Amino acid sequence: MFTRTVMGLLLALCVLPAQAKPLEFAGGADRTKVIDATKLLSQAPKYHQSEVTVKGTVTKVCKKRGCWMTLSVDNTEQITVKVRDGDMVFPMSAVGKTAYATGRFEVFELTLEKSRRYLAHKAEENGEVFDADAIQKPITVYRLKPNAVTIL
C-alpha cells in the first residue's frame, strides 16, 4: 500500500509540471512569426523599429517592478524586453523559462561613456559589483518594446 501511494505521488509530481499553462500578457506573443535571433542581430539596423517576435530564455527579471526581463537569444547576445511600469509585470519565477515576445525592436549604439553608465546602472539594479574601467569598448543594446508576451 505504501509503495502504491509513493508511486502515485511521484507520477503526479512528474505530470503536473508538464501540464502547466503558459503565462500570457496581452493575449500572448505571435509564435507563428518568430524571427531567428542570429538573423535578427546580424541585421539589427534593418529591423530597427520593426515589429518582430523573438524567442529566448529568461535570464533576469526586474526585481523592483517586473518591468523588464532579459532574454538570452543565442550563445552571447541578449535582448531586453522592456515595458512601462505596470503595463505588464514579469514574475521572478520566469527566470530559466522560455519566453516569446512580440513588439517593436530597437537598437542603441552607445558611446563608451554611455556604455559604462548603462552597465553601472544595470549592475546596481541587480546588486552586482561593477568596474567601469573594465569596459574598454562601446556596446550595442538590443531592446524589444512588447505588445504581447508568452512565458512557457
Side-chain angles (χ1 to χ4, degrees):
M1 180 69 173
F2 176 75
T3 304
R4 191 180 274 174
T5 303
V6 170
M7 293 301 285
L9 286 173
L10 286 174
L11 180 63
L13 288 173
C14 291
V15 171
L16 287 176
Q19 294 177 346
K21 298 215 183 239
L23 179 58
E24 294 186 336
F25 297 91
D30 183 354
R31 293 193 277 173
T32 64
K33 297 184 179 177
V34 176
I35 186 166
D36 177 68
T38 304
K39 178 181 178 183
L40 175 67
L41 298 178
S42 68
Q43 301 175 14
K46 172 183 172 184
Y47 290 100
H48 181 65
Q49 298 296 332
S50 297
E51 183 161 306
V52 299
T53 298
V54 296
K55 173 187 176 186
T57 302
V58 180
T59 57
K60 292 182 183 177
V61 174
C62 174
K63 294 177 182 176
K64 293 181 181 177
R65 297 185 181 209
C67 61
W68 58 262
M69 64 180 171
T70 302
L71 298 182
S72 175
V73 293
D74 67 18
N75 292 335
T76 59
E77 296 292 346
Q78 298 186 340
I79 295 175
T80 300
V81 178
K82 172 72 174 109
V83 297
R84 286 185 314 187
D85 291 352
D87 283 359
M88 298 177 193
V89 179
F90 304 123
M92 292 298 296
S93 61
V95 173
K97 295 183 179 176
T98 299
Y100 293 83
T102 301
R104 191 175 74 232
F105 180 68
E106 300 174 318
V107 181
F108 299 98
E109 302 278 344
L110 303 181
T111 64
L112 180 58
E113 184 56 35
K114 285 185 179 182
S115 296
R116 288 177 174 160
R117 285 198 316 253
Y118 173 80
L119 293 171
H121 173 73
K122 296 295 269 184
E124 182 181 342
E125 276 186 332
N126 291 299
E128 299 169 351
V129 177
F130 178 74
D131 177 13
D133 294 329
I135 307 303
Q136 298 297 314
K137 297 181 192 175
I139 64 168
T140 301
V141 176
Y142 303 106
R143 185 169 69 187
L144 189 83
K145 289 187 138 188
N147 51 45
V149 173
T150 300
I151 301 172
L152 303 179

